Amino acid sequence: MKKSIFSKLMALGLASSMLIGNQAMVLASESSSASFTAKDGVIDEQPGDVFYEIFVRAFRDSDGDSIGDFKGVEEMVPYLADLGITGIWLMPITQSSSEHCYDVNNYYEVNSDYGTMEDFQSMLQTCHEYGIKVVMDLVVNHCGFKNVWFQEALKGPTLEDGSANPYWDYFTFIPSDANLVEKTAAEIHDEEVAYLEAHGSMEGYEVQYPMYDNATQGPDKTVWTDTDSLPIIIEKMISYGYMQPEAAEMAENIISGYKYLAIFGFAMPDLNFESEALREEIKDVAAYWLEAGVDGFRLDAARHIYGDYYSNIYTDYMFEKNMGFWKDFRASLEKEYPDAYLIGEVWEKNTNNVAPFVSEGGLHSIFDFNLSSKIYEAVSNESTAYDPEAAAETNRLTDGTDLNIVSDLITYYDLLGEASNYEFIDCPFSTNHDQNRMISLLRYQFDETAADILTANILTNEDGTPVLREDADKAEDHAKVAADLLLTMPGKPFMYYGEEIGMDGAKPDSSIRECMAWFEEPFDAEGNAKEGLANYNKVVYSLGGESSVEAQIDDPTSLLSHYKELIQTRKDIPALMNGDLDEYPIDSQEIVSYIRMTNEQRVLVLINLTGEALTQELSADPNYGEFTSIIFQSQNDTSSSLDGQNVTIAPYSMIILE
């Protein structure tokens, strides 16, 4: 009789360092005195980790209410440790009105759906006992409609006793009859600068505000919400069941005659970082959670805190404002918490627009969105060949006929390394909670007219089922190659929960954030969920079967075993875990090749993107010398080999040479 998956995982304990099956050939480097130099004379080591993104609501339910919680996460820490995870990123865990929790109602309270503060700290302690760091989402661009800051601000600039409302400036309010114009924020700024130069002061200038100019909603919707419309909105929200009846009391205290800025919708008003009090409050919030035991923050919408409009996000004057805050934010935290780790969400493919966020005491890391797209393109097409004309100009990955995965990364590292005094640490990933899951991208067809396939809509048949790709049978092989690329890259790679078992998921967001597939048969004949399943919403994709932990945990050929093998290999080879990156040019677009190196070790990574065995002649590198022995070959790969200078790589496989 099979043990339950839960029993198996609990029995693992601290066995995350144990090897799986007939462990792949991984040899510790003995070449501590290796004689080689980097091409540019500098080896920029990046301390590595392997992070795992968790949506608590969907991960593991401990109390039978179908909602994931802190205790559920804590129960599965042995699973994460056995997988090899050394850090987790928790999507927002503060009190909120929504399932996604990006509308924070109280920055100083945990979400009651997830448990108590004591539950949270118990989870933190267990993670730390297993050597797993915990980074939490900090949502600072906007807050929730029901946040006490906003509810107090809605009373107006002056309180009943005649005193100034301390929360009014936490948000951007303008009179309803303010001068809203169909100009971009950048155009308005240029006019203001020109007026000041011409007149020596702004006296006589009529202030203008952009009516649209929003990257999230587009030009057909204004970014402003009338306070006069809120009573009607609240009434509708109550009737739809999105707010409780007592919410009607809110409408009684709302000042009329104003508009407020909310680029992500009326329910998530933008915070005003021009307010010194607000800036100090946000620093207090961060210090509160660091004191509670978290190891750092993933900073949501980091590019938006100043520059609420698409047109001025990357202007020089907005860069100066944004970076002024982030540097001050980091410096204030490091006084008491010197090891706090800050990673920013800057969803941007233009590296010149990313560099300032890590410059001169800015953030430690930025998610590598450009690499994410290139990983998909390479494994999907089984080649690095690229047609730039086939991509939208705003989403073009390169201007050449090759994805230039390695050379572009080196340029990126050089740019951000120099900007940050070589403190920058890259954060590669495959997909995240805002994007279609990797296995689905490789299995199904998506709207090819979309600007970005990672966020495109899935194509469906008449019965609503997804349309399969012609090569859908290769999806798991392609997913393994994507893992090879991700987990041999520098920095701190991030995995999305369920990625290691090939969980499906495609837009809308709710279907990308379904319950973690622990069980092969998650529901019984009556449709009741098994104990532990966090099926908080309708399950479309996460229906167990082969794409489950239970089905894969004892299978040495499974995607889960592949991830465990890769992560262990990354830990065993210092050049993979902490090393820099350099090119190793070969004459093939079907093999991705690169050198990883620390000051003491250099290795050559060769990844076959195709379903056929490929043979490649190797040559000595002028800087790194010859690579003469295989130090990694997957336990399931029985045909890759090295014969003198000729290497043969099995289909959809990776080998590492030293």
Side-chain angles (χ1 to χ4, degrees):
M1 183 176 179
K2 283 185 176 181
K3 284 185 179 181
S4 72
I5 182 176
F6 184 65
S7 299
K8 287 181 181 179
L9 294 173
M10 294 310 293
L12 287 171
L14 283 168
S16 60
S17 61
M18 295 176 63
L19 305 182
I20 59 172
N22 297 318
Q23 173 62 28
M25 191 190 326
V26 178
L27 305 176
S29 170
E30 296 180 0
S31 56
S32 59
S33 59
S35 57
F36 59 87
T37 58
K39 288 185 175 69
D40 61 2
V42 176
I43 294 180
D44 180 20
E45 296 187 14
Q46 299 186 35
D49 272 302
V50 181
F51 271 83
Y52 189 91
E53 178 187 359
I54 293 178
F55 183 31
V56 174
R57 187 176 298 274
F59 196 62
R60 181 83 181 190
D61 170 32
S62 72
D63 57 12
D65 65 357
S66 297
I67 296 175
D69 45 46
F70 299 131
K71 287 185 177 179
V73 174
E74 184 174 9
E75 287 175 355
M76 306 318 291
V77 168
Y79 166 79
L80 298 173
D82 183 64
L83 181 57
I85 299 303
T86 59
I88 59 175
W89 154 29
L90 299 175
M91 287 170 62
I93 51 89
T94 43
Q95 194 61 42
S96 168
S97 297
S98 67
E99 288 182 345
H100 56 69
C101 302
Y102 281 96
D103 55 336
V104 180
N105 288 339
N106 192 320
Y107 282 94
Y108 297 98
E109 289 183 2
V110 295
N111 193 313
S112 57
D113 286 345
Y114 297 168
T116 65
M117 189 64 172
E118 289 72 24
D119 295 334
F120 177 69
Q121 290 185 304
S122 178
M123 180 207 71
L124 281 178
Q125 181 178 347
T126 299
C127 286
H128 289 156
E129 288 173 355
Y130 276 75
I132 296 174
K133 305 178 184 72
V134 180
V135 169
M136 64 175 277
D137 231 311
L138 191 61
V139 186
V140 297
N141 175 74
H142 51 269
C143 69
F145 182 84
K146 292 166 68 174
N147 190 297
V148 66
W149 301 347
F150 189 59
Q151 289 303 305
E152 288 297 312
L154 284 174
K155 294 177 181 178
T158 305
L159 300 177
E160 288 184 357
D161 62 3
S163 62
N165 186 342
Y167 294 104
W168 179 255
D169 288 337
Y170 275 32
F171 305 90
T172 302
F173 288 96
I174 61 174
S176 293
D177 61 357
N179 184 26
L180 292 171
V181 294
E182 293 192 30
K183 299 176 183 176
T184 67
E187 289 170 340
I188 292 172
H189 176 76
D190 289 344
E191 290 182 13
E192 291 173 344
V193 171
Y195 188 93
L196 181 60
E197 290 178 352
H199 297 84
S201 75
M202 298 304 290
E203 184 177 351
Y205 176 79
E206 184 178 8
V207 178
Q208 305 175 83
Y209 301 94
M211 185 178 294
Y212 306 115
D213 191 18
N214 175 19
T216 303
Q217 296 182 12
D220 58 331
K221 286 188 177 181
T222 182
V223 296
W224 302 96
T225 299
D226 277 298
T227 58
D228 290 348
S229 70
L230 291 181
I232 299 173
I233 292 175
I234 291 171
E235 184 180 337
K236 287 182 178 180
M237 297 293 281
I238 293 172
S239 67
Y240 296 154
Y242 295 131
M243 286 186 176
Q244 298 299 316
E246 54 266 27
E249 297 178 8
M250 296 180 187
E252 299 174 6
N253 296 317
I254 296 175
I255 192 170
S256 64
Y258 285 90
K259 298 178 186 289
Y260 65 89
L261 187 67
I263 70 169
F264 291 100
F266 88 94
M268 292 188 281
D270 280 43
L271 292 167
N272 173 29
F273 278 81
E274 297 289 357
S275 164
E276 182 178 352
L278 183 277
R279 294 194 300 271
E280 292 303 312
E281 183 90 59
I282 293 299
K283 288 188 282 188
D284 288 345
V285 167
Y288 174 83
W289 290 105
L290 289 171
E291 186 63 26
V294 302
D295 299 289
F297 304 102
R298 178 264 187 185
L299 300 160
D300 183 63
R303 65 178 179 168
H304 281 288
I305 58 164
Y306 287 96
D308 300 295
Y309 314 101
Y310 185 74
S311 72
N312 68 353
I313 293 175
Y314 298 128
T315 56
D316 290 342
Y317 66 96
M318 278 302 158
F319 267 140
E320 186 176 346
K321 286 176 176 289
N322 270 318
M323 295 322 304
F325 173 74
W326 288 126
K327 291 174 184 178
D328 180 52
F329 180 78
R330 174 176 167 178
S332 70
L333 297 181
E334 287 184 341
K335 290 178 182 177
E336 296 292 331
Y337 311 97
D339 297 324
Y341 178 51
L342 305 177
I343 174 172
E345 183 208 20
V346 182
W347 197 332
E348 169 62 50
K349 290 186 170 65
N350 184 333
T351 56
N352 290 323
N353 290 335
V354 173
F357 288 90
V358 299
S359 65
E360 300 175 1
L363 306 179
H364 298 98
S365 295
I366 300 291
F367 286 111
D368 200 334
F369 282 89
N370 205 24
L371 180 58
S372 169
S373 296
K374 289 189 176 185
I375 288 175
Y376 164 72
E377 289 281 345
V379 301
S380 176
N381 298 321
E382 300 192 359
S383 172
T384 61
Y386 185 70
D387 179 7
E389 298 303 320
E393 187 174 348
T394 55
N395 194 48
R396 195 162 293 164
L397 301 177
T398 180
D399 292 327
T401 57
D402 191 278
L403 287 171
N404 300 319
I405 292 174
V406 180
S407 60
D408 283 358
L409 266 180
I410 292 170
T411 300
Y412 180 61
Y413 295 158
D414 288 345
L415 177 67
L416 274 69
E418 185 175 351
S420 66
N421 196 26
Y422 293 93
E423 292 183 348
F424 164 73
I425 303 170
D426 198 24
C427 288
F429 68 100
S430 293
T431 60
N432 64 23
H433 65 279
D434 287 322
Q435 300 169 320
N436 298 317
R437 285 183 175 270
M438 179 60 76
I439 198 77
S440 295
L441 291 166
L442 299 170
R443 183 174 285 149
Y444 306 121
Q445 294 184 33
F446 288 79
D447 180 7
E448 293 183 355
T449 65
D452 189 343
I453 194 170
L454 296 181
T455 55
N457 292 323
I458 197 168
L459 300 183
T460 58
N461 296 303
E462 291 182 1
D463 62 359
T465 59
V467 179
L468 291 172
R469 286 173 43 148
E470 290 184 2
D471 59 352
D473 60 321
K474 300 177 182 177
E476 185 172 322
D477 288 325
H478 289 157
K480 287 180 178 179
V481 177
D484 292 342
L485 283 163
L486 174 67
L487 291 167
T488 55
M489 286 296 176
K492 300 180 187 293
F494 276 68
M495 298 163 49
Y496 187 37
Y497 79 94
E499 189 173 291
E500 75 277 17
I501 54 172
M503 267 179 62
D504 268 319
K507 291 285 186 177
D509 288 347
S510 58
S511 294
I512 300 170
R513 306 169 187 173
E514 291 184 357
C515 55
M516 175 66 179
W518 298 109
F519 309 108
E520 199 167 356
E521 295 181 3
F523 302 98
D524 62 22
E526 287 74 41
N528 300 310
K530 281 192 175 179
E531 182 179 343
L533 196 72
N535 59 318
Y536 72 97
N537 65 350
K538 180 181 179 182
V539 179
V540 177
Y541 294 100
S542 188
L543 297 172
E546 290 302 311
S547 297
S548 66
V549 174
E550 191 171 42
Q552 295 187 28
I553 195 166
D554 291 326
D555 180 1
T557 67
S558 68
L559 186 59
L560 176 59
S561 292
H562 188 71
Y563 267 91
K564 290 170 71 173
E565 181 182 52
L566 283 174
I567 295 171
Q568 186 61 52
T569 300
R570 183 180 179 87
K571 291 179 173 180
D572 289 342
I573 300 177
L576 289 185
M577 191 65 165
N578 305 313
D580 200 349
L581 178 76
D582 214 334
E583 293 181 87
Y584 183 88
I586 60 174
D587 187 22
S588 173
Q589 290 185 302
E590 297 177 328
I591 298 174
V592 180
S593 58
Y594 43 93
I595 294 169
R596 297 291 316 280
M597 68 286 190
T598 61
N599 287 307
E600 301 297 329
Q601 181 191 40
R602 85 282 188 273
V603 299
L604 173 61
V605 179
L606 298 168
I607 300 173
N608 182 354
L609 299 172
T610 77
E612 297 187 9
L614 298 177
T615 298
Q616 176 69 39
E617 183 178 357
L618 303 179
S619 58
D621 185 272
N623 293 82
Y624 301 99
E626 292 185 316
F627 295 89
T628 58
S629 61
I630 297 176
I631 62 168
F632 171 80
Q633 182 173 333
S634 174
Q635 60 179 345
N636 298 312
D637 175 6
T638 59
S639 59
S640 293
S641 62
L642 178 63
D643 182 10
Q645 295 297 103
N646 293 314
V647 63
T648 299
I649 315 171
Y652 303 122
S653 294
M654 173 180 71
I655 61 172
I656 301 174
L657 285 71
E658 189 174 40

